[in-house]
Amino acid sequence: AQILLKAVAAEGLLPAPPLDIHVDPPAAPAVVPTPLQELAFLNRFVGQERLKTLLASKIKEAKILQRPLPHMLFCGPPDSGKVTLARCLPNELGTTLYVVKAAMMEGYADVLPFLTNATDGSIILIEDIDALPPALCEFLCPAIEDNRVDIVLGEDSNARTISIPLRRFTAIGTTSKPSRVNKRLARWFA
């Protein structure tokens, strides 16, 4: 169609079309990728049948008892699907997922928003939990143990501790180096 307009304009029958006119046929619709959260369900996860069966029973139990899943530690070689599998669980439960990359965490302020914003049954996924600094592991222990965090305000004799209650959440850690996970923290993972 555009070529025809240019030919007619060249004959002097029509003024030349402006440059922004474009009469090409419509392009094929773009393929829109499915968001990861729509794909992340246990029945779509390939492999690990025994583990999927175990997780399905834990999910069923959590729903019946109206309790969060137990804290879990997923161990395996790099790129073996630990994070993908963990991402399936909140979809199965219909809850919120917070993803924390341990290598990016330096202090309490980095992890505190995830803990305080978690709702009952939320899942906090800590990728590469073996990379958490020791002080941060010690800070997380009461959160996982007793659903609370203790924050120290002030210094020396003026210091005081504030205990903030947390909602019941599930912590899931992933690691390819289980021997490097903080021992005190590791004992809370099923």
Side-chain angles (χ1 to χ4, degrees):
Q2 188 171 359
I3 295 171
L4 179 61
L5 285 176
K6 286 181 181 176
V8 172
E11 294 290 324
L13 300 174
L14 287 174
L19 294 175
D20 61 339
I21 291 180
H22 193 69
V23 192
D24 286 341
V31 177
V32 179
T34 305
L36 178 62
Q37 65 268 19
E38 290 181 23
L39 295 176
F41 285 93
L42 287 176
N43 63 353
R44 293 184 178 179
F45 187 86
V46 178
Q48 302 288 344
E49 298 306 319
R50 203 173 91 213
L51 180 57
K52 288 189 326 189
T53 302
L54 174 66
L55 288 172
S57 70
K58 291 287 185 191
I59 289 167
K60 184 177 180 181
E61 179 183 339
K63 285 180 177 179
I64 290 171
L65 298 175
Q66 296 180 342
R67 296 175 50 190
L69 289 170
H71 304 299
M72 296 181 226
L73 183 62
F74 291 173
C75 306
D79 300 324
S80 61
K82 301 177 293 291
V83 171
T84 305
L85 187 60
R87 286 179 178 271
C88 294
L89 302 179
N91 289 337
E92 296 287 343
L93 290 165
T95 191
T96 310
L97 173 69
Y98 297 96
V99 179
V100 178
K101 296 188 185 288
M104 306 299 277
M105 300 288 115
E106 294 176 1
Y108 314 127
D110 295 328
V111 74
L112 196 57
F114 298 103
L115 296 171
T116 56
N117 289 329
T119 58
D120 277 333
S122 288
I123 294 177
I124 299 176
L125 171 60
I126 307 170
E127 290 186 39
D128 299 320
I129 195 168
D130 55 280
L132 278 177
L136 201 47
C137 291
E138 293 301 316
F139 178 75
L140 282 174
C141 282
I144 292 173
E145 225 172 289
D146 302 323
N147 293 319
R148 68 176 170 79
V149 289
D150 297 325
I151 299 175
V152 179
L153 301 174
E155 296 178 8
D156 303 324
S157 63
N158 293 329
R160 64 184 185 137
T161 302
I162 295 177
S163 186
I164 300 174
L166 303 173
R167 294 191 175 95
R168 298 177 313 159
F169 67 93
T170 298
I172 298 177
T174 65
T175 182
S176 56
K177 302 167 187 160
S179 63
R180 292 189 182 175
V181 177
N182 178 287
K183 301 302 178 217
R184 184 166 173 229
L185 192 59
R187 69 186 175 128
W188 292 105
F189 291 97

